[in-house]
Amino acid sequence: MIEKPLTGDDVEFLTTLHGDEDVSFVVLMQPRGDQADVLLRAIDDVALGELKEAVREGDEPEGDEAKAPAERGLAVSLAALRAAGCEARGQVVEDHPLARLKDMVDEAGADEVIVLTEPHYVEEFFHRDWASRARHKVGVPVLKLFAHSE
């Protein structure tokens, strides 16, 4: 589960986590703006010392406006995983991402879930972040990783 396109560093890290084992990925991406409200994202930006980002949070596309960028980001991420030699498929998830994640784990017979996001300090503190919530829902190990920035 991702919230922004994978960087080259993300792809390298993900594809080497299990050594030489063949791995395949089912990537779920939620459009920005739906995973946390503007205030929580702004607080996270301030906590990271990214004051300019905090000011711009209100300018981020939300809802339907966020779907097209999410679809492009997903396509870029899938292409990068495939270029690294992995099988990869995915979809943009607009509603109930954790319910869809649970369904996808069951459908794919997944061995684990990787949640790759920016730090979300407020949500993490209260265990309301995707990884914390997924651990109680999906029935397989959940690995939480922080996305790289480019």
Side-chain angles (χ1 to χ4, degrees):
M1 180 170 267
I2 61 174
E3 63 183 354
K4 69 175 199 161
L6 298 175
T7 66
D9 289 336
D10 293 330
V11 170
E12 181 179 349
F13 188 54
L14 290 172
T15 58
T16 59
L17 272 174
H18 296 288
D20 293 335
E21 287 182 44
D22 288 334
V23 294
S24 62
F25 294 91
V26 178
V27 180
L28 299 180
M29 182 169 193
Q30 186 177 25
R32 183 163 169 87
D34 293 339
Q35 74 270 21
D37 69 13
V38 174
L39 178 60
L40 289 179
R41 290 194 315 259
I43 291 170
D44 288 337
D45 289 337
V46 170
L48 290 169
E50 297 174 352
L51 300 179
K52 290 180 182 178
E53 292 296 320
V55 171
R56 289 192 288 254
E57 282 297 341
D59 298 334
E60 289 290 330
E62 303 248 350
D64 289 339
E65 292 179 14
K67 187 173 181 182
E71 288 174 345
R72 287 191 300 273
L74 177 62
V76 166
S77 299
L78 294 175
L81 289 167
R82 291 175 187 137
C86 296
E87 180 183 323
R89 61 186 170 100
Q91 70 183 79
V92 172
V93 180
E94 295 182 71
D95 297 315
H96 311 292
L98 293 173
R100 183 64 191 123
L101 178 62
K102 170 70 171 124
D103 292 344
M104 188 61 70
V105 165
D106 293 341
E107 291 168 19
D111 295 325
E112 71 180 343
V113 167
I114 299 172
V115 176
L116 185 75
T117 68
E118 297 286 327
H120 296 294
Y121 296 114
V122 175
E123 291 176 333
E124 290 167 22
F125 181 79
F126 291 106
H127 303 283
R128 299 303 304 154
D129 59 299
W130 285 345
S132 295
R133 291 168 48 204
R135 285 185 182 106
H136 302 286
K137 190 165 191 89
V138 297
V140 297
V142 176
L143 177 61
K144 178 180 182 161
L145 301 173
F146 291 123
H148 293 82
S149 296
E150 278 190 354

